[in-house]
Amino acid sequence: MEYDLNAVRQFIKVAENLSFTVAAQQLDVTQSGISRAVNRLESQLGLRLLHRNTRNLKLTVDFKTC
């Protein structure tokens, strides 16, 4: 299976900043575009990468403890 490397790069920025807004600013793209890319990546992988709601965003796995 092929993955969209741009979507992976966008997810990494979101994960580094724990913010779609900051990631979008850093990558000079729209927040909604990043959100769609991450949703598409999660769908391709068949798993949730982020727990998110209107007030909170966190990784599903804490890679610092792995």
Side-chain angles (χ1 to χ4, degrees):
M1 173 179 280
E2 282 189 35
Y3 298 106
D4 179 359
L5 293 181
N6 195 44
V8 173
R9 182 173 64 102
Q10 291 178 357
F11 163 71
I12 290 169
K13 276 294 179 193
V14 171
E16 287 173 344
N17 294 289
L18 293 178
S19 170
F20 281 91
T21 302
V22 174
Q25 290 170 345
Q26 289 180 353
L27 295 170
D28 197 28
V29 297
T30 65
Q31 179 182 350
S32 61
I34 287 187
S35 181
R36 283 192 303 273
V38 171
N39 285 336
R40 200 169 42 251
L41 183 60
E42 288 177 324
S43 179
Q44 288 177 334
L45 294 171
L47 57 93
R48 300 276 294 176
L49 299 170
L50 300 165
H51 290 294
R52 54 196 178 274
N53 60 37
T54 56
R55 295 178 185 238
N56 196 5
L57 175 72
K58 62 186 214 180
L59 296 169
T60 55
V61 175
D62 183 359
F63 293 101
K64 293 177 185 174
T65 62
C66 289

